[in-house]
Amino acid sequence: AAKQRGKANWVRYHDGMEQPVFAHARIGGELRRALDADEFRVYYQPIMDLARGRVIGVEALVRWQHPTRGLVSPAEFIPAAEGTGLIVPLGRFVLRESCRQAAAWLAEFGPDALQKVAPNVSVRQLHDPDFRTDVRAALADAGLSADRVVLELTESAVLRGPQVLQTLHELHGMGIRLALDDFGTGESSLSLLRAFPASIVKLDKSFVDGIELDEEGTPEAAARQAVARAVIQMARALDLDTVAEGIENQEQADRLLGLGYTLGQGFHLARPMPAGDLTRLLAEQRDRDLAVAA
Ligand code: C2E
Ligand code: MG
Ligand code: MG
Ligand code: MG
């Protein structure tokens, strides 16, 4: 019986563990090749002023332009990139490319066109001893000032101990802003937020989903609104900016505005898009401004 149990356990181990490791090894090689072959693209999703309907910043989101599979979403390869360590060079590429692109937009449209560019940063990058140097180099090579950059981090990343905290304080000291991404889904705590030099919290999409519904008395609707309200009260108390994520309709935008959210992001406002499309959007915004001024 023991032998049989052992065998059954081995089979479970084999199915559950070895497969993903194999898959990771293979995708690790694929990602390396893709990086060398320049197959990654940076898409940009506008972060909007909800009341005025203007672009105030952009989040940089990586895509894989695969030669046969087409455009691959980050959900399909970021975990493997993190697992294999390739997120370090990949993240460096996204950082450099998004800083370069933001500087180009500022040169073309002026300093008011875009306040911030926000690339996502993985915990693996924060542990990389060269990260601060990479950030400095990305800014210098792009000719972009540090106060134009927001690094988006998840709460689990900032919980990783004193070295990471030291790095974050140094980045903050350079003038870079830090945003807590997917806020409310991790192990958030007020003491964490006080120790961590964050400037922005991004209310996770899961609290925006259904926030517009007036299902009077349903615990789900009440809970989402309570979280959204608690997050904005906390943000005000700690002097943090907020961005609401995943806004998919106008009713959600209105409800969030009513709760005090001034900035938002979501498919209803604008989808992530290639740089060329965002250039057109900024040009339209400029032309509208000129028409109003005339
Ligand atoms: P995130 O940083 O929370 O980014 C927001 C995600 O929500 C993006 O998915 C965006 O396309 C999506 N989104 C925005 N508005 C809406 C909406 O109204 N409805 C819905 N359903 N989705 C919306 P995306 O681009 O697929 O990225 C997924 C995640 O992958 C990101 O979540 C981020 O955690 C990670 N990621 C993306 N690019 C990078 C990167 O360059 N480096 C790292 N480390 N992670 C990245
Ligand atoms: Mg993000
Ligand atoms: Mg997010
Ligand atoms: Mg997210």
Side-chain angles (χ1 to χ4, degrees):
K3 200 176 171 188
Q4 269 196 328
R5 201 164 55 234
K7 192 175 176 196
N9 282 343
W10 183 83
V11 169
R12 261 206 303 281
Y13 174 83
H14 180 87
D15 286 346
M17 302 286 290
E18 198 168 19
Q19 284 280 69
V21 173
F22 263 119
H24 266 211
R26 198 158 28 77
I27 202 175
E30 258 289 278
L31 290 170
R32 179 78 254 174
R33 184 201 58 73
L35 201 55
D36 293 339
D38 217 12
E39 290 174 7
F40 291 102
R41 300 285 174 269
V42 182
Y43 273 45
Y44 298 92
Q45 185 177 30
I47 298 169
M48 309 287 292
D49 179 323
L50 289 174
R52 299 172 68 214
R54 292 181 63 89
V55 178
I56 67 104
V58 286
E59 177 172 4
L61 295 157
V62 72
R63 301 285 181 266
W64 182 1
Q65 185 65 62
H66 192 278
T68 55
R69 295 199 305 157
L71 203 63
V72 183
S73 102
E76 290 188 48
F77 62 85
I78 290 286
E82 286 177 335
T84 57
L86 262 158
I87 192 69
V88 170
L90 178 59
R92 189 186 298 126
F93 161 75
V94 174
L95 175 73
R96 294 185 62 82
E97 178 59 18
S98 59
C99 286
R100 188 201 61 73
Q101 183 60 65
W105 282 323
L106 290 170
E108 185 171 357
F109 297 107
D112 298 333
L114 198 68
Q115 291 171 25
K116 305 276 186 235
V117 63
N120 292 281
V121 171
S122 147
V123 62
R124 284 291 287 261
Q125 290 174 270
L126 293 179
H127 277 290
D128 180 42
D130 296 330
F131 184 64
R132 282 159 287 185
T133 315
D134 287 345
V135 173
R136 284 204 178 79
L139 291 171
D141 292 349
L144 188 69
S145 133
D147 62 11
R148 296 283 182 171
V149 177
V150 174
L151 300 180
E152 295 200 1
L153 316 164
T154 57
E155 293 159 81
S156 54
V158 302
L159 285 169
R160 298 298 174 88
Q163 268 140 305
V164 166
L165 206 57
Q166 165 73 22
T167 299
L168 296 176
H169 278 285
E170 256 178 67
L171 293 165
H172 183 250
M174 289 166 60
I176 289 173
R177 309 290 154 84
L178 305 173
L180 274 181
D181 209 346
D182 306 334
F183 192 77
T185 60
E187 302 125 89
S188 351
S189 79
L190 286 169
S191 54
L192 167 74
L193 267 176
R194 282 176 51 207
F196 166 76
S199 304
I200 300 151
V201 291
K202 297 190 77 174
L203 179 71
D204 191 65
K205 179 181 186 300
S206 57
F207 305 111
V208 172
D209 284 339
I211 199 171
E212 76 281 21
L213 303 175
D214 263 320
E215 318 153 70
E216 246 109 79
T218 75
E220 297 80 19
R224 279 188 294 258
Q225 289 176 25
V227 171
R229 194 172 288 121
V231 168
I232 196 132
Q233 281 167 359
M234 176 212 68
R236 282 194 183 127
L238 298 176
D239 200 21
L240 303 168
D241 288 328
T242 51
V243 176
E245 296 192 279
I247 300 174
E248 293 185 341
N249 57 56
Q250 189 56 42
E251 292 68 39
Q252 289 170 350
D254 292 341
R255 184 64 64 109
L256 288 160
L257 268 167
L259 289 171
Y261 287 84
T262 56
L263 304 179
Q265 201 179 341
F267 292 172
H268 173 65
L269 306 166
R271 289 190 175 248
M273 59 186 91
D277 290 356
L278 196 87
T279 303
R280 276 186 285 281
L281 205 134
L282 291 175
E284 281 165 26
Q285 185 164 289
R286 176 194 54 197
D287 294 346
R288 269 201 309 276
D289 290 348
L290 291 174
V292 169

